[in-house]
Amino acid sequence: MEFRRHYLGMLGISTAIIVALLALSWESAIRNPYVQFLVDYDLGFLRRAFAGEIFSHFLPEVSQFSVGGVGAGAILLAGVLYLTLFRRDFGFTRASLPLLVFIIASPFFFKMFARHLGYFDIYGFILACVALLLPLRKAYPAIITLGAIALILTHHLHFLLYIPLIGFVCLLRYLAERRRLAAWERVYAAICMSGVGFAFMAVLLWGGAPVPREILLEHMQSRAIDGFDSNLVEIWYRSIFDEMRRTFARLDEQAVFLPLYLLTLLIHWPLFAALAGGLRALKEKSHRVIVYAGLAAICLGYFAIFVMIFDYNRWLSNWAVCMILALHAISRLPSSTPNPMHIAVDRRRNIYLGWLVALDFLGGPGTPGFPPGLL
């Protein structure tokens, strides 16, 4: 009972921190995502304009408050979806309580989404949860494909940020069902994957701003209720090489926070140990090989992001979220032991680490007050 009180206290404090971060970051966090809701397809096909295009059909003019409201609604939806997912895979029991606490309390998870209110990271997380929860019907590949295309049109970085995880989830779900795909299903899957690839290439090749900066800025100002930094129009004119130059120029600023990132990863040790336990418990060797290859592909995508764009706080957090959702996908595969991913309830070391996780909110670049990243 004593240990249970500790874990419930961690959940309570973490929830309070999430609410506080939402309140404290409301103004500063939505200032930069705001400009991305001002761009639509009126001037032609533009990358990162899909969200603004949807907004334009409901709100001819956009306020920062409306952007914050949508962001808060996305966090609420993400919370409901994740708790539904956790209940299905692990249940709300005494044995699963430490695992739930280490996930919900993590500064990499909902605290990160609260710190970056209005940014587009969370939509990749939502689609990954949908991919984990939807029943495997004939429409499943098409629904997930349309969602992935919408992610790419919202922000093309999702091609590396969450789409590898979503593909990994879909593959493991079919493996867990032990289904052999018929010939038409393989063609269906190939068409779906090609559609996602085509959307990404279309954004890269034809998504650049087709008009001079002054015209795009004037269009954005015509849709804005609140003021914004006009220099942010450069987002639509930078090449990937420009981004890489900016990243390398700021490596010293990011390096200062490297010990903080490493320490934050270390206090999540029970969570990573749970993932490792799930991997070791996989019953079939072929499943183990596929899982390792999938996790490696996800990590390679994040390595590419780290090289290109400097906002390491957010990329590390989203990588950790991908590992958490991968844990759910892996838990559906046949296992040689029951509940291989549970964290021991009564180990004092886990209690101490849990409190550190619960009280941590991972400050550094990417938090309000620090220069924003691109997403």
Side-chain angles (χ1 to χ4, degrees):
M1 188 64 71
E2 175 191 354
F3 294 102
R4 185 170 177 269
R5 284 199 298 268
H6 274 287
Y7 284 115
L8 291 176
M10 295 172 202
L11 277 178
I13 286 179
S14 297
T15 302
I17 290 175
I18 291 169
V19 173
L21 285 171
L22 277 170
L24 292 171
S25 67
W26 181 276
E27 183 179 353
S28 59
I30 63 178
R31 187 178 300 132
N32 293 286
Y34 178 53
V35 300
Q36 302 191 60
F37 288 86
L38 303 176
V39 178
D40 53 27
Y41 295 145
D42 280 4
L43 300 176
F45 180 66
L46 276 170
R47 63 177 181 261
R48 303 167 70 165
F50 186 66
E53 178 66 18
I54 294 175
F55 249 59
S56 69
H57 291 284
F58 300 96
L59 297 172
E61 296 182 328
V62 183
S63 68
Q64 288 189 359
F65 183 83
S66 60
V67 172
V70 169
I75 291 176
L76 180 61
L77 174 61
V80 171
L81 286 172
Y82 184 72
L83 291 176
T84 302
L85 179 63
F86 190 93
R87 182 182 181 185
R88 185 200 69 180
D89 290 341
F90 304 117
F92 294 139
T93 66
R94 180 180 183 275
S96 66
L97 181 59
L99 182 63
L100 177 65
V101 168
F102 270 92
I103 291 173
I104 297 298
S106 171
F108 293 135
F109 206 5
F110 285 106
K111 291 174 185 173
M112 182 269 293
F113 291 139
R115 290 196 315 272
H116 299 100
L117 178 68
Y119 284 77
F120 296 148
D121 313 47
I122 197 165
Y123 299 113
F125 169 76
I126 288 172
L127 182 61
C129 286
V130 169
L132 281 160
L133 288 167
L134 274 184
L136 292 181
R137 305 284 188 254
K138 289 182 180 179
Y140 178 84
I143 293 171
I144 301 305
T145 298
L146 290 174
I149 291 172
L151 282 181
I152 290 170
L153 294 178
T154 301
H155 198 302
H156 51 291
L157 196 62
H158 272 299
F159 190 75
L160 297 174
L161 199 68
Y162 275 99
I163 287 177
L165 168 71
I166 292 166
F168 177 74
V169 163
C170 295
L171 175 60
L172 292 200
R173 290 205 60 195
Y174 279 103
L175 283 176
E177 293 280 333
R178 295 180 175 275
R179 285 182 49 192
R180 284 184 66 88
L181 296 182
W184 72 268
E185 289 178 310
R186 296 176 189 177
V187 173
Y188 184 14
I191 291 172
C192 289
M193 289 188 289
S194 299
V196 174
F198 176 78
F200 179 64
M201 293 306 298
V203 169
L204 284 187
L205 296 175
W206 304 304
V211 296
R213 290 169 173 77
E214 296 76 17
I215 294 177
L216 178 58
L217 181 59
E218 182 180 353
H219 178 70
M220 292 166 66
Q221 289 169 337
S222 71
R223 297 199 59 220
I225 293 176
D226 301 309
F228 63 91
D229 183 357
S230 60
N231 292 323
L232 292 174
V233 74
E234 291 297 322
I235 289 173
W236 286 272
Y237 295 91
R238 294 188 199 126
S239 69
I240 187 60
F241 301 107
D242 295 330
E243 299 298 349
M244 290 176 69
R245 280 193 289 270
R246 293 176 74 234
T247 295
F248 289 120
R250 306 184 75 152
L251 281 179
D252 54 343
E253 173 190 312
Q254 296 288 332
V256 172
F257 291 92
L258 182 59
L260 172 64
Y261 299 154
L262 292 175
L263 181 60
T264 305
L265 284 172
L266 283 175
I267 64 176
H268 286 76
W269 181 256
L271 189 56
F272 290 112
L275 177 59
L279 293 174
R280 287 193 301 270
L282 289 176
K283 187 178 291 186
E284 299 185 20
K285 183 178 179 181
S286 60
H287 288 175
R288 199 175 298 118
V289 171
I290 291 169
V291 167
Y292 282 130
L295 293 177
I298 293 169
C299 293
L300 280 174
Y302 274 88
F303 177 77
I305 294 172
F306 271 60
V307 171
M308 290 186 290
I309 305 171
F310 63 84
D311 203 351
Y312 295 150
N313 179 315
R314 290 198 16 244
W315 310 146
L316 181 62
S317 296
N318 280 289
W319 171 81
V321 170
C322 286
M323 294 300 105
I324 290 168
L325 293 184
L327 182 148
H328 282 271
I330 294 165
S331 73
R332 309 301 293 174
L333 294 173
S335 176
S336 59
T337 59
N339 302 325
M341 297 186 186
H342 280 179
I343 297 171
V345 177
D346 55 352
R347 290 186 183 164
R348 293 198 174 275
R349 181 198 63 183
N350 292 342
I351 294 289
Y352 298 143
L353 292 176
W355 277 113
L356 289 174
V357 167
L359 295 170
D360 190 2
F361 58 92
L362 192 64
T367 54
F370 285 87
L374 285 183
L375 195 61

